[in-house]
């Protein structure tokens, strides 16, 4: 079930969502997660997966992402907190080495559960 | 006007590298598009994006290695977001002033907003566990990591930074 179809607003689709078993796998449509407005929309769509659709196992696949800013990291931190509050799990995978460095600098590599590949990530839930 | 007019901050002494770049250098005429620029943009993220795209294209025509290009793009993004969001608070009647130079071995820029400024030394450590969920400080931390040097004006509403290309290592 794609988020775009659930939204009545004429917003460009930011996330591809699919179910693999009981895990919700999310791919980003954008190569760059930068603009304030985009980050806001991505955040809302991710939060609605937890708050409205009650998904509890989220896997964020970063394979399309070449770029992200600190504002995007803030949304991921909030998402992780939301999931922890309801006993859910967030795992990130396929992070480009340059972006992984951003996680390392900000010490978020220790904060998030990060797996190399999607298959390994699916096993880690 | 040199890109770094304030020395390197309140307590520190001007580093030798900053002294060098504060000295006007001859223009690099072989670079295309123009390697030196000064512009004023409104408080509008899409205007900032246009400028960033222009700089990216210009840097791709230099010896700037891919990892340094990533670094500069990230630092520019954080600095412009700070100017628009925290400095001018999305007030479209205010402007952001940008000055930049692209030289054969480095990129320099200064970004100034019309906000009240802040003390970059007062930011909470974004890597400590109690601050992880706070939105502030991470951008400035990334700028400092990715650029060779980052210097704020005494008021804190203007940031100057430069990156020396790490050829062969980037």
């Amino acid at each position: 079930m794609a988020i775009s179809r659930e939204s009545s607003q004429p917003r460009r689709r930011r996330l591809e969502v699919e179910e693999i078993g009981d895990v919700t796998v999310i791919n980003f449509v954008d190569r760059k997660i930068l603009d304030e407005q985009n980050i806001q929309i991505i955040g809302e769509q991710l939060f609605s997966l937890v708050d409205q659709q009650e998904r509890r196992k989220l896997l964020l696949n970063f394979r399309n992402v070449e770029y992200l800013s600190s504002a995007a990291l803030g949304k991921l931190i909030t998402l992780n907190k939301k999931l922890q509050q309801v006993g859910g799990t967030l795992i990130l995978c396929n992070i480009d080495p340059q972006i992984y460095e951003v996680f390392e600098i900000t010490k978020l590599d220790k904060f998030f559960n990060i797996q190399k590949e999607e298959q390994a990530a699916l096993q880690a839930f | 006007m040199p890109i770094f007019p304030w020395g390197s901050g309140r307590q520190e002494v001007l580093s030798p590298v900053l002294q060098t770049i504060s000295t006007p250098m001859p223009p690099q005429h072989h670079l295309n598009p123009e390697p030196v620029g000064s512009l004023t943009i409104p408080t509008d993220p899409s205007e900032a994006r246009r400028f960033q795209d222009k700089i990216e294209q210009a840097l791709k025509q230099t010896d700037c290695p891919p990892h340094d290009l990533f670094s500069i793009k990230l630092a520019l993004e954080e600095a412009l977001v700070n100017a628009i969001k925290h400095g001018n608070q999305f007030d479209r009647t205010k402007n952001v002033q940008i000055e930049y130079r692209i030289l054969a071995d480095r990129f320099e820029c200064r970004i100034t907003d019309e906000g009240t400024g802040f003390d970059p030394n007062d930011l909470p450590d974004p890597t400590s566990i109690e601050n992880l969920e706070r939105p502030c400080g991470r951008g400035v931390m990334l700028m400092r990591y990715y650029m060779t040097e980052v210097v704020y004006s005494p008021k804190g509403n203007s940031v100057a930074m430069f990156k020396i290309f790490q050829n062969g290592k980037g």
Side-chain angles (χ1 to χ4, degrees):
Chain A
M1 189 168 13
I3 285 194
S4 57
R5 268 176 259 146
E6 293 162 17
S7 169
S8 57
Q9 294 172 40
R11 287 171 162 178
R12 192 160 80 75
R13 185 165 45 93
R14 300 285 170 201
L15 305 172
E16 305 262 10
V17 182
E18 66 172 320
E19 302 293 326
I20 299 180
D22 60 349
V23 179
T24 302
V25 181
I26 299 140
N27 279 278
F28 295 93
V29 173
D30 301 286
R31 287 189 302 118
K32 299 178 181 182
I33 307 178
L34 293 175
D35 296 72
E36 181 77 16
Q37 201 190 357
N38 289 0
I39 290 170
Q40 201 64 30
I41 294 169
I42 287 172
E44 284 169 18
Q45 295 187 349
L46 287 171
F47 299 161
S48 91
L49 287 171
V50 181
D51 296 335
Q52 269 86 54
Q53 300 177 46
E54 300 185 350
R55 313 285 172 92
R56 293 294 177 259
K57 295 181 180 178
L58 261 55
L59 173 55
L60 286 184
N61 191 325
F62 280 78
R63 67 181 167 193
N64 296 329
V65 181
E66 295 172 3
Y67 234 81
L68 55 71
S69 67
S70 66
L73 295 175
K75 292 290 178 200
L76 297 181
I77 290 166
T78 307
L79 178 68
N80 195 50
K81 187 183 176 190
K82 272 182 181 294
L83 274 165
Q84 281 179 342
Q85 282 170 345
V86 294
T89 308
L90 174 68
I91 298 183
L92 319 181
C93 73
N94 275 327
I95 300 180
D96 169 272
Q98 289 195 125
I99 294 181
Y100 188 76
E101 192 181 5
V102 175
F103 281 84
E104 285 179 317
I105 298 158
T106 52
K107 303 218 172 121
L108 293 173
D109 59 323
K110 302 281 183 280
F111 178 77
F112 290 113
N113 183 343
I114 300 177
Q115 302 287 330
K116 271 196 171 165
E117 307 288 341
E118 184 170 302
Q119 205 51 44
L122 285 168
Q123 314 263 321
F125 279 98
Chain B
M1 190 174 181
I3 295 260
F4 286 80
W6 330 285
S8 60
R10 288 171 188 175
Q11 299 95 6
E12 304 147 58
V13 179
L14 196 66
S15 76
V17 180
L18 273 179
Q19 286 173 13
T20 308
I21 78 151
S22 294
T23 310
M25 295 180 76
Q28 310 281 304
H29 293 295
H30 64 285
L31 293 174
N32 182 36
E34 73 273 21
V36 181
S38 176
L39 65 157
T40 301
I41 62 166
T43 300
D44 179 349
S46 63
E47 292 281 344
R49 176 77 39 226
R50 205 165 300 139
F51 166 73
Q52 286 166 275
D53 290 343
K54 177 183 163 184
I55 291 298
E56 181 176 357
Q57 290 313 313
L59 284 170
K60 280 181 175 169
Q61 295 180 41
T62 69
D63 290 333
C64 177
H67 189 261
D68 288 351
L69 181 60
F70 179 92
S71 303
I72 292 166
K73 280 166 65 181
L74 195 115
L76 263 185
E77 170 72 21
E78 300 293 346
L80 285 165
V81 165
N82 282 348
I84 289 171
K85 193 172 168 180
H86 303 298
N88 290 351
Q89 312 221 329
F90 295 111
D91 179 350
R92 284 174 187 255
T93 64
K94 292 179 175 173
N95 292 318
V96 177
Q97 195 191 341
I98 305 170
E99 292 138 279
Y100 69 90
R101 280 203 305 185
I102 298 171
L103 303 174
D105 67 336
R106 74 189 65 190
F107 170 77
E108 305 170 353
C109 77
R110 183 171 53 184
I111 293 166
T112 306
D113 60 57
E114 295 183 40
T116 52
F118 75 111
D119 182 353
N121 299 316
D122 253 6
L123 289 173
D125 174 8
T127 64
S128 71
I129 196 78
E130 66 271 20
N131 294 329
L132 268 183
E133 285 170 31
R134 294 176 66 171
C136 47
R138 208 168 281 122
V140 172
M141 184 191 186
L142 288 171
M143 285 158 60
R144 287 199 160 127
Y145 177 86
Y146 278 108
M147 297 301 275
T148 306
E149 193 144 356
V150 176
V151 180
Y152 281 87
S153 65
K155 186 181 166 191
N157 69 323
S158 186
V159 60
M161 55 192 180
F162 73 94
K163 176 77 177 178
I164 295 177
F165 305 151
Q166 299 178 337
N167 288 316
K169 285 183 280 179

Short mmCIF file of all heavy atoms in Angstrom, two decimals, chain B residues 8-34:
data_model
loop_
_atom_site.label_atom_id
_atom_site.label_comp_id
_atom_site.label_asym_id
_atom_site.label_seq_id
_atom_site.Cartn_x
_atom_site.Cartn_y
_atom_site.Cartn_z
N SER B 8 39.88 34.67 13.54
CA SER B 8 39.23 33.38 13.73
C SER B 8 38.47 33.31 15.05
O SER B 8 38.66 32.42 15.84
CB SER B 8 40.23 32.24 13.60
OG SER B 8 41.22 32.38 14.57
N GLY B 9 37.61 34.29 15.30
CA GLY B 9 36.72 34.15 16.44
C GLY B 9 37.16 34.95 17.65
O GLY B 9 38.06 35.78 17.58
N ARG B 10 36.49 34.68 18.76
CA ARG B 10 36.66 35.55 19.92
C ARG B 10 37.96 35.31 20.67
O ARG B 10 38.67 36.22 20.98
CB ARG B 10 35.49 35.33 20.86
CG ARG B 10 34.23 35.93 20.30
CD ARG B 10 33.05 35.53 21.11
NE ARG B 10 31.85 35.98 20.40
CZ ARG B 10 30.64 35.73 20.77
NH1 ARG B 10 30.43 35.03 21.85
NH2 ARG B 10 29.62 36.15 20.09
N GLN B 11 38.22 34.04 20.93
CA GLN B 11 39.39 33.78 21.77
C GLN B 11 40.62 33.38 20.95
O GLN B 11 41.74 33.61 21.34
CB GLN B 11 39.08 32.64 22.76
CG GLN B 11 37.94 32.92 23.71
CD GLN B 11 36.62 32.39 23.22
OE1 GLN B 11 36.57 31.69 22.22
NE2 GLN B 11 35.55 32.74 23.91
N GLU B 12 40.36 32.80 19.80
CA GLU B 12 41.48 32.18 19.10
C GLU B 12 42.33 33.22 18.37
O GLU B 12 41.88 34.30 18.07
CB GLU B 12 40.95 31.16 18.09
CG GLU B 12 40.07 30.10 18.72
CD GLU B 12 38.97 29.65 17.80
OE1 GLU B 12 39.31 29.17 16.71
OE2 GLU B 12 37.80 29.81 18.16
N VAL B 13 43.51 32.82 18.04
CA VAL B 13 44.42 33.67 17.28
C VAL B 13 44.29 33.26 15.82
O VAL B 13 44.06 32.10 15.50
CB VAL B 13 45.87 33.44 17.77
CG1 VAL B 13 46.85 34.30 16.98
CG2 VAL B 13 45.96 33.75 19.25
N LEU B 14 44.38 34.22 14.94
CA LEU B 14 44.27 33.95 13.50
C LEU B 14 45.30 32.89 13.09
O LEU B 14 46.48 33.05 13.34
CB LEU B 14 44.51 35.24 12.75
CG LEU B 14 44.09 35.31 11.30
CD1 LEU B 14 42.58 35.21 11.20
CD2 LEU B 14 44.56 36.62 10.69
N SER B 15 44.81 31.82 12.53
CA SER B 15 45.73 30.75 12.13
C SER B 15 46.48 31.14 10.87
O SER B 15 46.02 31.99 10.12
CB SER B 15 44.94 29.47 11.88
OG SER B 15 44.28 29.56 10.64
N PRO B 16 47.64 30.54 10.63
CA PRO B 16 48.41 30.88 9.43
C PRO B 16 47.59 30.68 8.16
O PRO B 16 47.67 31.47 7.23
CB PRO B 16 49.60 29.91 9.48
CG PRO B 16 49.71 29.51 10.91
CD PRO B 16 48.33 29.56 11.47
N VAL B 17 46.75 29.64 8.14
CA VAL B 17 45.97 29.37 6.93
C VAL B 17 44.99 30.50 6.68
O VAL B 17 44.82 30.99 5.58
CB VAL B 17 45.23 28.03 7.06
CG1 VAL B 17 44.42 27.74 5.80
CG2 VAL B 17 46.20 26.90 7.32
N LEU B 18 44.34 30.95 7.77
CA LEU B 18 43.37 32.04 7.62
C LEU B 18 44.05 33.33 7.20
O LEU B 18 43.51 34.09 6.43
CB LEU B 18 42.62 32.25 8.93
CG LEU B 18 41.39 31.38 9.12
CD1 LEU B 18 40.75 31.68 10.45
CD2 LEU B 18 40.39 31.63 8.01
N GLN B 19 45.26 33.57 7.72
CA GLN B 19 45.97 34.77 7.31
C GLN B 19 46.21 34.73 5.81
O GLN B 19 46.08 35.72 5.11
CB GLN B 19 47.31 34.87 8.05
CG GLN B 19 47.14 35.27 9.50
CD GLN B 19 48.42 35.20 10.29
OE1 GLN B 19 49.50 35.08 9.70
NE2 GLN B 19 48.32 35.26 11.59
N THR B 20 46.52 33.54 5.32
CA THR B 20 46.79 33.40 3.89
C THR B 20 45.54 33.70 3.09
O THR B 20 45.59 34.46 2.12
CB THR B 20 47.24 31.95 3.58
OG1 THR B 20 48.29 31.63 4.46
CG2 THR B 20 47.71 31.82 2.15
N ILE B 21 44.41 33.12 3.52
CA ILE B 21 43.24 33.31 2.67
C ILE B 21 42.60 34.68 2.85
O ILE B 21 41.81 35.09 2.05
CB ILE B 21 42.18 32.20 2.81
CG1 ILE B 21 41.34 32.38 4.05
CG2 ILE B 21 42.69 30.83 2.65
CD1 ILE B 21 39.97 31.79 3.80
N SER B 22 42.95 35.39 3.93
CA SER B 22 42.42 36.72 4.09
C SER B 22 43.11 37.70 3.14
O SER B 22 42.63 38.79 2.88
CB SER B 22 42.61 37.20 5.53
OG SER B 22 41.82 36.40 6.38
N THR B 23 44.25 37.29 2.62
CA THR B 23 44.98 38.12 1.67
C THR B 23 44.37 37.94 0.29
O THR B 23 44.18 36.82 -0.15
CB THR B 23 46.46 37.68 1.63
OG1 THR B 23 46.94 37.61 2.96
CG2 THR B 23 47.30 38.63 0.81
N PRO B 24 44.04 39.04 -0.39
CA PRO B 24 43.45 38.88 -1.73
C PRO B 24 44.36 38.08 -2.65
O PRO B 24 45.58 38.27 -2.65
CB PRO B 24 43.29 40.32 -2.21
CG PRO B 24 43.30 41.14 -0.97
CD PRO B 24 44.16 40.42 0.01
N MET B 25 43.77 37.19 -3.41
CA MET B 25 44.56 36.37 -4.34
C MET B 25 44.17 36.73 -5.76
O MET B 25 43.06 37.20 -6.01
CB MET B 25 44.30 34.89 -4.07
CG MET B 25 44.80 34.47 -2.70
SD MET B 25 44.49 32.74 -2.36
CE MET B 25 45.77 31.97 -3.34
N PRO B 26 45.08 36.52 -6.71
CA PRO B 26 44.74 36.86 -8.09
C PRO B 26 43.60 36.00 -8.60
O PRO B 26 43.48 34.84 -8.21
CB PRO B 26 46.04 36.56 -8.85
CG PRO B 26 46.82 35.65 -7.98
CD PRO B 26 46.42 35.97 -6.58
N PRO B 27 42.72 36.56 -9.43
CA PRO B 27 41.61 35.76 -9.94
C PRO B 27 42.10 34.62 -10.82
O PRO B 27 43.13 34.71 -11.47
CB PRO B 27 40.79 36.77 -10.75
CG PRO B 27 41.72 37.90 -11.04
CD PRO B 27 42.73 37.93 -9.93
N GLN B 28 41.32 33.53 -10.79
CA GLN B 28 41.69 32.34 -11.57
C GLN B 28 40.85 32.36 -12.86
O GLN B 28 39.75 31.86 -12.90
CB GLN B 28 41.38 31.08 -10.77
CG GLN B 28 41.94 31.10 -9.36
CD GLN B 28 43.40 30.79 -9.30
OE1 GLN B 28 43.83 29.75 -9.78
NE2 GLN B 28 44.19 31.69 -8.75
N HIS B 29 41.40 32.97 -13.89
CA HIS B 29 40.59 33.21 -15.09
C HIS B 29 40.24 31.94 -15.86
O HIS B 29 39.35 31.95 -16.68
CB HIS B 29 41.30 34.20 -16.01
CG HIS B 29 41.38 35.56 -15.41
ND1 HIS B 29 40.26 36.33 -15.16
CD2 HIS B 29 42.43 36.29 -14.98
CE1 HIS B 29 40.62 37.47 -14.62
NE2 HIS B 29 41.93 37.48 -14.48
N HIS B 30 40.95 30.85 -15.58
CA HIS B 30 40.69 29.64 -16.34
C HIS B 30 39.43 28.93 -15.85
O HIS B 30 38.92 28.03 -16.49
CB HIS B 30 41.89 28.68 -16.27
CG HIS B 30 42.17 28.19 -14.89
ND1 HIS B 30 42.77 28.98 -13.94
CD2 HIS B 30 41.92 27.01 -14.29
CE1 HIS B 30 42.89 28.30 -12.81
NE2 HIS B 30 42.38 27.09 -13.01
N LEU B 31 38.93 29.35 -14.69
CA LEU B 31 37.76 28.67 -14.16
C LEU B 31 36.48 29.22 -14.80
O LEU B 31 36.36 30.39 -15.08
CB LEU B 31 37.67 28.85 -12.64
CG LEU B 31 38.76 28.17 -11.83
CD1 LEU B 31 38.63 28.55 -10.38
CD2 LEU B 31 38.67 26.66 -11.98
N ASN B 32 35.55 28.36 -15.00
CA ASN B 32 34.31 28.74 -15.63
C ASN B 32 33.18 27.92 -15.00
O ASN B 32 33.30 26.71 -14.93
CB ASN B 32 34.40 28.45 -17.13
CG ASN B 32 33.14 28.87 -17.86
OD1 ASN B 32 32.55 29.87 -17.50
ND2 ASN B 32 32.76 28.09 -18.84
N PRO B 33 32.09 28.48 -14.47
CA PRO B 33 31.77 29.91 -14.51
C PRO B 33 32.60 30.72 -13.53
O PRO B 33 33.57 30.20 -12.97
CB PRO B 33 30.30 29.92 -14.11
CG PRO B 33 30.11 28.70 -13.29
CD PRO B 33 31.07 27.69 -13.84
N GLU B 34 32.22 31.97 -13.32
CA GLU B 34 33.08 32.91 -12.60
C GLU B 34 33.44 32.37 -11.22
O GLU B 34 32.60 31.83 -10.50
CB GLU B 34 32.42 34.28 -12.48
CG GLU B 34 31.27 34.36 -11.50
CD GLU B 34 29.93 33.97 -12.10
OE1 GLU B 34 29.94 33.27 -13.13
OE2 GLU B 34 28.91 34.35 -11.56
#
